[in-house]
Structures are given as structure tokens and as C-alpha cells.
């Protein structure tokens, strides 16, 4: 990776402040129910991320405190910037109906940071950019450079993007289980997204074949969850399920208190 964790953190901080400006006026107050929910589950995921990083030498978790920003928007999206800046757009709540399902999405996004996927993408783009400029120097017409840009997208950028998404899916359900959220919720969320991607007549809307997409196909994703779920459930049910039963009982109590304080 061409970038250092410190450089990625600085880029994340700059983008965070830019996003705050972009969403100005649509950011929900910190005492809003949605903000409290995101912050509550986000803190549990933060602790799970720390546990994961301690047992996986290739993972890296910034020591900076997490920020949680919820934005009023029709768009269904969530993302985590380097240096632990979490954003949730309220359109996402069309797909996530409970905390387990919210964690399925946030765990996936936090996993991108743990795996330093932003740094990997920047590094890959730097290499492709250097090679593209070299080809332009060798062939001033730009034909070779144009061909290489298309070749690079098809055989480097897109496969790497799909690989990163699969890795984030895998780490994400591990984080969910470690935080005592049901990892099976991930499959429900992505199945819901697949269903919306299906037309009213029951036929899938046109989408590019997987090898031309930055994300795995819905079916590939759901199949992966089936393969990974036994290991995730082992974590969820560790200690005979005693630990997570107690924690989930505390979660229910916290939700009741949050409703009463509205």
C-alpha cells in the first residue's frame, strides 16, 4: 500500500469536514432517536473491531474516537471514512428494520476501514496512473493510453473492488457476531436489496454482469453468507450463548429507556 495509516487518517478527516458542509441542514441532532440508535450499535461495533484488530495482524483500527453522523436523505446509504467517521443516510432505514440489520450494514462499512481498502484503492490508482502516463509518453496519439485505461478497469479495478466488498462482507458478519448482534441479519438485508432490484413483474432489472461490476452479484453475496455463517454463529453462540444473551438483554433494556426518553 502506497499510503500510510496516518495519511489515510488525514484524508478521512478532510473528507469528514467536507461532508459536514455538504450535508449541512440535513444532519439530525444528536438526541434524535436514529442518532442514538446508530451511536449505540456503533459503539458496540467499535469494541468488536478492536478485538478483531488485536487478533488479526493485517487489520488496523485507528485509535481516534468514532464520530456518528445521521443525515436526513432519501438515499439508502452508509459509509465509514478513514479515522472512524461513520455516516448513515436515513433512506437506509427502508432496508434495516432492527438493530441486527443496521449492524449488518455498519459492520460491512467498518470492515473496509479495518482492511484499509481506501489505501489499497488509492495505491492501485497511483500505479495505473503512472503506467498510463508512461504509455502516453511512448504513444503520443493516446490510443495505447486509452486502451490501457479500459483494460485496467476491467482486469484490475473491478476485480479488486469485488474482492474488497467480499472481504468486507466476511469481516462484517464477524464483527456483528462479536458484538452480539445476529450475523444472519446480513443475509436478510442483502436479500431485501435484491428484492427491490427486481421489477414488479418479477424479473430482475438490467444490471451489468458481475465481471463488469464493482460489487459481487446479489446471488454471489447471499451464497457467501451461507458459507461463512457457521463460523459467525459459533462466535455468536460462544460460551453457550451466555455472554450474548446477557448483552442482548441489556440492549433491549437500553432501547426501552431510549423510547421512554423521547
Amino acid at each position: 500500500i502506497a499510503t500510510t495509516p496516518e495519511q489515510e487518517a488525514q484524508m478521512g478527516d478532510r473528507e469528514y469536514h467536507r461532508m459536514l458542509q455538504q450535508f449541512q441542514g440535513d444532519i439530525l441532532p444528536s438526541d434524535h432517536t436514529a442518532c442514538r440508535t446508530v451511536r449505540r450499535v456503533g459503539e458496540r461495533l467499535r469494541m468488536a473491531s478492536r478485538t478483531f484488530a488485536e487478533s488479526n495482524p493485517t487489520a488496523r483500527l485507528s485509535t481516534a474516537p468514532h464520530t456518528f453522523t445521521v443525515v436526513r436523505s432519501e438515499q439508502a446509504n452508509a459509509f465509514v471514512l478513514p479515522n472512524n467517521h461513520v455516516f448513515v443516510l436515513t433512506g437506509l432505514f427502508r432496508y434495516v428494520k432492527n438493530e441486527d440489520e443496521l449492524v449488518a450494514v455498519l459492520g460491512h462499512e467498518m470492515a473496509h476501514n479495518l482492511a484499509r481498502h481506501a489505501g489499497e484503492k488509492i495505491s492501485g490508482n497511483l500505479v495505473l496512473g503512472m503506467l498510463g502516463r508512461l504509455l502516453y509518453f511512448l504513444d503520443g496519439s493516446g490510443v495505447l493510453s486509452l486502451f490501457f485505461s479500459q483494460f485496467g478497469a476491467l482486469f484490475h479495478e473491478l476485480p479488486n473492488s469485488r474482492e474488497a466488498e467480499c472481504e468486507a462482507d466476511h469481516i462484517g458478519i464477524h464483527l456483528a457476531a462479536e458484538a452480539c448482534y445476529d450475523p444472519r441479519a446480513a443475509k436478510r438485508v442483502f436479500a431485501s436489496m435484491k428484492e427491490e432490484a427486481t421489477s414488479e413483474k418479477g424479473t430482475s432489472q438490467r444490471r451489468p454482469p458481475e465481471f463488469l461490476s464493482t460489487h459481487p452479484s446479489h446471488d454471489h453475496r447471499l451464497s457467501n453468507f451461507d458459507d461463512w455463517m457457521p463460523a459467525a454463529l459459533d462466535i455468536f453462540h460462544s460460551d453457550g450463548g451466555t455472554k450474548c444473551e446477557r448483552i442482548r438483554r441489556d440492549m433491549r433494556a437500553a432501547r426501552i429507556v431510549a423510547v421512554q426518553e423521547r
Side-chain angles (χ1 to χ4, degrees):
I1 298 180
T3 57
T4 66
E6 292 72 25
Q7 290 171 327
E8 293 162 23
Q10 291 171 1
M11 288 185 286
D13 288 343
R14 286 197 298 270
E15 186 65 9
Y16 168 65
H17 291 293
R18 191 186 73 80
M19 286 288 177
L20 291 182
Q21 288 294 320
Q22 177 181 329
F23 294 130
Q24 189 176 22
D26 291 319
I27 297 175
L28 298 183
S30 60
D31 60 349
H32 191 283
T33 302
C35 296
R36 290 183 178 184
T37 301
V38 169
R39 189 163 56 247
R40 183 170 60 249
V41 302
E43 285 296 336
R44 287 210 56 80
L45 280 172
R46 177 187 62 80
M47 292 186 288
S49 297
R50 180 184 300 169
T51 300
F52 182 87
E54 288 172 352
S55 59
N56 290 269
T58 58
R60 186 187 184 281
L61 179 65
S62 168
T63 57
H66 281 63
T67 64
F68 301 98
T69 306
V70 182
V71 180
R72 185 183 295 105
S73 172
E74 291 298 314
Q75 185 179 357
N77 197 15
F79 53 91
V80 181
L81 300 173
N83 221 27
N84 304 332
H85 301 297
V86 180
F87 283 82
V88 174
L89 277 59
T90 55
L92 179 68
F93 295 116
R94 294 199 308 270
Y95 297 100
V96 298
K97 307 303 182 186
N98 54 48
E99 291 185 4
D100 290 317
E101 294 181 359
L102 176 60
V103 165
V105 177
L106 291 185
H108 170 96
E109 297 302 329
M110 287 188 174
H112 280 304
N113 265 358
L114 280 171
R116 295 184 62 198
H117 288 158
E120 288 180 358
K121 184 173 183 179
I122 292 170
S123 301
N125 289 343
L126 284 174
V127 172
L128 290 176
M130 290 172 61
L131 291 174
R133 286 193 292 272
L134 175 61
L135 287 175
Y136 188 80
F137 176 77
L138 295 174
D139 174 24
S141 69
V143 174
L144 280 178
S145 181
L146 178 62
F147 173 80
F148 178 77
S149 67
Q150 301 300 317
F151 179 90
L154 185 59
F155 293 101
H156 176 75
E157 293 179 21
L158 296 180
N160 281 358
S161 294
R162 291 194 298 273
E163 182 179 348
E165 291 299 322
C166 286
E167 185 178 20
D169 283 346
H170 195 182
I171 295 173
I173 63 170
H174 182 115
L175 298 180
E178 182 66 39
C180 289
Y181 291 98
D182 190 344
R184 290 167 293 195
K187 187 171 181 180
R188 294 197 299 270
V189 171
F190 285 103
S192 175
M193 292 180 179
K194 176 186 176 182
E195 185 176 344
E196 182 157 305
T198 301
S199 68
E200 294 179 358
K201 294 182 179 180
T203 57
S204 294
Q205 294 179 344
R206 289 178 178 267
R207 60 175 291 156
E210 184 166 354
F211 72 91
L212 291 177
S213 176
T214 58
H215 286 62
S217 68
H218 290 300
D219 290 335
H220 188 180
R221 235 172 178 161
L222 295 176
S223 177
N224 282 342
F225 286 133
D226 287 335
D227 293 339
W228 301 328
M229 202 55 65
L233 287 173
D234 284 344
I235 298 171
F236 185 62
H237 294 303
S238 61
D239 299 329
T242 303
K243 182 189 78 169
C244 282
E245 284 179 8
R246 174 179 53 80
I247 290 175
R248 289 178 72 83
R249 188 165 56 247
D250 292 343
M251 290 177 190
R252 288 191 292 271
R255 287 195 294 271
I256 292 171
V257 170
V259 171
Q260 291 173 342
E261 291 179 347
R262 288 174 59 180

